[in-house]
Coordinates of all heavy atoms in Angstrom, one line a residue:
M200 N -26.8 7.9 -3.4 CA -26.3 9.2 -3.0 C -26.7 9.5 -1.7 O -26.2 10.6 -1.2 CB -26.7 10.2 -4.0 CG -26.0 10.1 -5.4 SD -26.7 10.8 -6.8 CE -26.9 12.5 -6.3
E201 N -27.6 8.8 -1.0 CA -28.0 9.2 0.3 C -26.9 9.2 1.4 O -26.1 8.2 1.5 CB -29.1 8.2 0.9 CG -30.5 8.4 0.4 CD -31.4 7.2 0.7 OE1 -31.1 6.5 1.8 OE2 -32.4 7.1 0.0
G202 N -26.6 10.4 1.9 CA -25.5 10.6 2.9 C -24.1 10.6 2.3 O -23.2 10.7 3.1
A203 N -24.0 10.5 0.9 CA -22.7 10.5 0.3 C -22.1 11.9 0.2 O -22.7 12.7 -0.3 CB -22.8 9.8 -1.1
E204 N -20.9 12.1 0.7 CA -20.2 13.4 0.5 C -19.4 13.5 -0.9 O -19.2 14.5 -1.3 CB -19.1 13.6 1.7 CG -19.9 13.7 3.0 CD -19.4 12.5 3.9 OE1 -19.3 11.3 3.5 OE2 -19.2 12.7 5.2
I205 N -19.2 12.3 -1.4 CA -18.5 12.2 -2.6 C -19.3 11.3 -3.6 O -19.8 10.2 -3.1 CB -17.1 11.6 -2.5 CG1 -16.2 12.3 -1.6 CG2 -16.4 11.4 -3.9 CD1 -14.9 11.8 -1.3
I206 N -19.4 11.8 -4.8 CA -20.3 11.0 -5.8 C -19.4 10.8 -7.0 O -18.9 11.7 -7.7 CB -21.5 11.9 -6.3 CG1 -22.5 12.1 -5.1 CG2 -22.3 11.0 -7.4 CD1 -23.4 13.4 -5.5
T207 N -19.0 9.5 -7.2 CA -18.3 9.1 -8.4 C -19.2 8.6 -9.4 O -20.1 7.6 -9.2 CB -17.1 8.2 -8.1 OG1 -16.2 8.7 -7.2 CG2 -16.6 7.5 -9.2
T208 N -19.1 9.1 -10.7 CA -19.9 8.5 -11.8 C -18.8 7.9 -12.7 O -18.0 8.6 -13.2 CB -20.8 9.5 -12.5 OG1 -19.9 10.6 -13.0 CG2 -21.8 10.2 -11.6
C209 N -19.1 6.7 -13.1 CA -18.1 5.9 -13.9 C -18.8 4.9 -14.8 O -18.7 3.7 -14.6 CB -17.1 5.2 -12.9 SG -15.7 4.6 -13.9
T210 N -19.7 5.5 -15.6 CA -20.6 4.7 -16.4 C -20.0 4.7 -17.9 O -19.2 5.7 -18.3 CB -22.0 5.2 -16.4 OG1 -22.1 6.4 -17.0 CG2 -22.6 5.2 -15.0
A211 N -20.5 3.8 -18.7 CA -20.0 3.7 -20.1 C -21.2 3.7 -21.0 O -22.1 2.8 -20.9 CB -19.1 2.5 -20.2
D212 N -21.3 4.6 -21.9 CA -22.5 4.7 -22.8 C -22.1 5.8 -23.8 O -21.5 6.7 -23.5 CB -23.7 5.3 -22.0 CG -25.0 5.0 -22.6 OD1 -25.0 4.6 -23.9 OD2 -26.1 5.1 -22.0
K213 N -22.3 5.3 -25.1 CA -21.7 6.2 -26.2 C -22.8 7.3 -26.4 O -23.3 7.4 -27.6 CB -21.3 5.4 -27.4 CG -20.4 6.3 -28.3 CD -19.7 5.5 -29.2 CE -18.7 6.3 -30.2 NZ -18.3 7.6 -29.7
Q214 N -23.2 8.1 -25.5 CA -24.2 9.1 -25.8 C -24.1 10.2 -24.7 O -23.5 9.9 -23.7 CB -25.6 8.6 -25.8 CG -26.0 8.0 -24.5 CD -27.4 7.6 -24.5 OE1 -28.3 8.2 -25.1 NE2 -27.8 6.6 -23.6
N215 N -24.8 11.3 -24.8 CA -25.0 12.3 -23.7 C -26.0 11.7 -22.7 O -27.2 11.8 -22.9 CB -25.4 13.6 -24.2 CG -24.4 14.3 -25.1 OD1 -24.5 14.4 -26.3 ND2 -23.3 14.6 -24.4
A216 N -25.6 10.9 -21.8 CA -26.5 10.2 -20.9 C -26.7 11.2 -19.6 O -26.1 12.3 -19.6 CB -25.8 9.1 -20.2
T217 N -27.7 11.0 -18.9 CA -27.9 11.9 -17.7 C -27.9 10.9 -16.5 O -29.0 10.5 -16.1 CB -29.2 12.7 -17.8 OG1 -29.3 13.4 -19.0 CG2 -29.3 13.7 -16.7
I218 N -26.8 10.7 -16.0 CA -26.7 9.8 -14.8 C -27.1 10.6 -13.6 O -27.7 10.0 -12.7 CB -25.1 9.3 -14.6 CG1 -24.7 8.7 -16.0 CG2 -25.0 8.4 -13.4 CD1 -25.4 7.6 -16.5
L219 N -26.7 11.8 -13.5 CA -27.2 12.7 -12.4 C -28.0 13.8 -12.9 O -27.6 14.5 -13.8 CB -26.0 13.2 -11.7 CG -25.1 12.2 -11.0 CD1 -24.0 13.1 -10.2 CD2 -25.7 11.3 -10.1
T220 N -29.1 14.1 -12.4 CA -29.9 15.3 -12.7 C -29.7 16.3 -11.5 O -29.3 16.0 -10.4 CB -31.4 15.0 -12.9 OG1 -31.9 14.3 -11.6 CG2 -31.7 14.1 -14.1
D221 N -30.1 17.6 -11.9 CA -29.7 18.6 -10.9 C -30.3 18.5 -9.5 O -29.7 18.7 -8.5 CB -30.3 20.0 -11.6 CG -29.8 21.1 -10.8 OD1 -28.6 21.0 -10.3 OD2 -30.6 22.2 -10.7
N222 N -31.6 18.0 -9.5 CA -32.3 17.9 -8.2 C -31.8 16.8 -7.2 O -32.0 16.7 -6.1 CB -33.9 17.6 -8.3 CG -34.1 16.3 -9.1 OD1 -33.2 15.9 -9.9 ND2 -35.2 15.7 -9.0
M223 N -30.9 16.0 -7.8 CA -30.3 14.8 -7.1 C -29.1 15.2 -6.3 O -28.6 14.7 -5.4 CB -29.8 13.7 -8.0 CG -31.0 12.9 -8.7 SD -30.4 12.0 -10.1 CE -29.6 10.6 -9.4
V224 N -28.5 16.5 -6.6 CA -27.2 16.8 -6.0 C -27.4 18.0 -5.1 O -27.8 19.1 -5.4 CB -26.3 17.3 -7.2 CG1 -25.0 17.8 -6.5 CG2 -26.0 16.2 -8.2
G225 N -27.2 17.6 -3.8 CA -27.3 18.6 -2.7 C -26.0 19.5 -2.6 O -25.0 19.2 -3.2
P226 N -26.0 20.6 -1.7 CA -24.9 21.4 -1.6 C -23.9 20.7 -0.8 O -24.0 19.7 -0.1 CB -25.5 22.6 -0.7 CG -26.7 22.1 0.0 CD -27.2 21.0 -0.9
G227 N -22.5 21.0 -1.1 CA -21.4 20.5 -0.3 C -20.8 19.3 -0.8 O -19.7 18.9 -0.2
V228 N -21.3 18.7 -1.8 CA -20.7 17.4 -2.3 C -19.5 17.7 -3.3 O -19.4 18.7 -3.9 CB -21.7 16.5 -2.9 CG1 -22.9 16.0 -1.9 CG2 -22.3 17.1 -4.1
H229 N -18.8 16.6 -3.4 CA -17.8 16.6 -4.5 C -18.0 15.5 -5.4 O -18.4 14.4 -5.1 CB -16.4 16.2 -3.8 CG -15.3 16.0 -4.9 ND1 -14.9 17.0 -5.8 CD2 -14.6 14.9 -5.2 CE1 -13.9 16.6 -6.6 NE2 -13.7 15.3 -6.3
I230 N -18.1 16.0 -6.8 CA -18.5 15.0 -7.8 C -17.2 14.6 -8.5 O -16.5 15.5 -9.0 CB -19.6 15.6 -8.8 CG1 -20.7 16.0 -8.0 CG2 -19.8 14.6 -9.8 CD1 -21.8 16.8 -8.9
N231 N -16.9 13.3 -8.6 CA -15.8 12.8 -9.4 C -16.3 12.1 -10.6 O -16.8 11.0 -10.6 CB -15.1 11.8 -8.5 CG -14.0 11.0 -9.1 OD1 -13.1 11.6 -9.8 ND2 -14.0 9.8 -8.9
A232 N -16.4 12.9 -11.6 CA -17.1 12.4 -13.0 C -16.0 11.8 -13.9 O -15.3 12.5 -14.6 CB -17.8 13.5 -13.6
I233 N -16.1 10.5 -14.0 CA -15.0 9.8 -14.7 C -15.5 9.3 -16.1 O -14.7 9.3 -17.1 CB -14.6 8.4 -14.0 CG1 -14.2 8.7 -12.5 CG2 -13.7 7.5 -14.8 CD1 -12.9 9.4 -12.6
G234 N -16.7 9.0 -16.3 CA -17.2 8.3 -17.5 C -17.4 9.2 -18.7 O -17.4 8.6 -19.8
G235 N -17.7 10.4 -18.6 CA -17.8 11.4 -19.7 C -16.5 11.7 -20.2 O -15.8 12.5 -19.6
D236 N -16.0 11.0 -21.3 CA -14.6 11.3 -21.8 C -14.4 11.3 -23.3 O -13.3 11.0 -23.8 CB -13.6 10.3 -21.1 CG -14.0 8.9 -21.4 OD1 -15.0 8.7 -22.2 OD2 -13.3 8.0 -20.9
C237 N -15.6 11.7 -24.0 CA -15.5 11.6 -25.5 C -16.5 12.7 -25.9 O -17.5 13.0 -25.3 CB -15.9 10.3 -26.1 SG -14.6 9.3 -26.5
P238 N -16.3 13.2 -27.1 CA -17.3 14.1 -27.7 C -18.7 13.4 -27.8 O -18.7 12.3 -28.2 CB -16.7 14.5 -29.1 CG -15.3 14.2 -29.1 CD -15.1 13.1 -28.1
G239 N -19.7 14.0 -27.3 CA -21.0 13.4 -27.3 C -21.2 12.3 -26.3 O -22.1 11.6 -26.3
K240 N -20.3 12.2 -25.2 CA -20.4 11.2 -24.2 C -20.2 11.8 -23.0 O -19.1 12.1 -22.4 CB -19.3 10.1 -24.5 CG -19.2 9.0 -23.5 CD -18.2 7.9 -24.1 CE -18.0 6.8 -23.0 NZ -16.7 7.0 -22.4
T241 N -21.4 12.2 -22.2 CA -21.4 12.9 -20.9 C -22.3 12.1 -20.0 O -23.1 11.4 -20.4 CB -21.7 14.4 -21.1 OG1 -23.0 14.5 -21.7 CG2 -20.7 15.2 -21.9
E242 N -22.1 12.5 -18.7 CA -22.9 11.9 -17.6 C -23.8 12.8 -16.8 O -24.7 12.3 -16.2 CB -21.9 11.2 -16.7 CG -21.2 10.0 -17.3 CD -20.3 9.4 -16.2 OE1 -19.5 10.0 -15.6 OE2 -20.4 8.2 -15.9
L243 N -23.5 14.0 -16.8 CA -24.1 14.9 -15.9 C -25.1 15.9 -16.6 O -24.7 16.3 -17.7 CB -23.2 15.8 -15.0 CG -22.1 15.0 -14.4 CD1 -21.2 16.0 -13.6 CD2 -22.6 13.9 -13.4
H244 N -26.2 16.3 -15.9 CA -27.2 17.3 -16.6 C -26.3 18.6 -16.5 O -25.7 19.0 -15.4 CB -28.4 17.3 -15.8 CG -29.5 18.1 -16.5 ND1 -29.4 19.6 -16.5 CD2 -30.5 17.8 -17.3 CE1 -30.4 20.0 -17.2 NE2 -31.0 19.0 -17.7
R245 N -26.6 19.4 -17.5 CA -25.9 20.7 -17.7 C -26.2 21.6 -16.5 O -25.2 22.3 -16.0 CB -26.3 21.4 -18.9 CG -25.6 22.6 -19.3 CD -26.1 23.2 -20.7 NE -25.5 24.5 -21.0 CZ -25.9 25.6 -20.7 NH1 -27.0 25.8 -19.9 NH2 -25.1 26.7 -21.1
D246 N -27.4 21.4 -15.9 CA -27.7 22.5 -14.8 C -26.7 22.1 -13.6 O -26.4 23.0 -12.7 CB -29.1 22.2 -14.3 CG -30.0 22.8 -15.3 OD1 -29.5 23.5 -16.2 OD2 -31.3 22.6 -15.2
I247 N -26.3 20.9 -13.3 CA -25.4 20.6 -12.3 C -24.0 21.3 -12.5 O -23.4 21.9 -11.6 CB -25.0 19.0 -12.1 CG1 -26.3 18.3 -11.9 CG2 -24.0 18.9 -11.1 CD1 -26.2 16.8 -11.9
L248 N -23.6 21.4 -13.8 CA -22.4 22.0 -14.1 C -22.4 23.6 -13.7 O -21.4 24.2 -13.3 CB -22.0 21.9 -15.5 CG -21.9 20.5 -16.2 CD1 -21.4 20.5 -17.6 CD2 -21.2 19.6 -15.4
L249 N -23.7 24.1 -13.9 CA -23.8 25.5 -13.7 C -23.8 25.9 -12.2 O -23.5 27.0 -11.8 CB -25.0 26.0 -14.3 CG -25.2 25.9 -15.9 CD1 -26.6 26.2 -16.4 CD2 -24.1 26.7 -16.6
R250 N -24.1 24.9 -11.4 CA -24.0 25.1 -9.9 C -22.7 24.7 -9.3 O -22.5 24.8 -8.1 CB -25.1 24.2 -9.2 CG -26.5 24.8 -9.4 CD -27.5 23.8 -8.9 NE -27.3 23.4 -7.6 CZ -27.6 22.1 -7.1 NH1 -28.0 21.2 -8.0 NH2 -27.4 21.9 -5.9

Side-chain angles (χ1 to χ4, degrees):
M200 284 160 60
E201 278 170 25
E204 297 115 322
I205 299 174
I206 303 163
T207 292
T208 55
C209 193
T210 65
D212 202 342
K213 200 161 174 33
Q214 61 168 335
N215 294 112
T217 307
I218 308 302
L219 300 186
T220 53
D221 192 30
N222 60 337
M223 291 161 74
V224 178
V228 296
H229 172 64
I230 305 173
N231 171 43
I233 300 296
D236 59 0
C237 261
K240 175 170 175 260
T241 55
E242 293 183 301
L243 308 182
H244 193 282
R245 183 173 183 273
D246 289 349
I247 299 175
L248 308 187
L249 298 176
R250 284 167 61 212

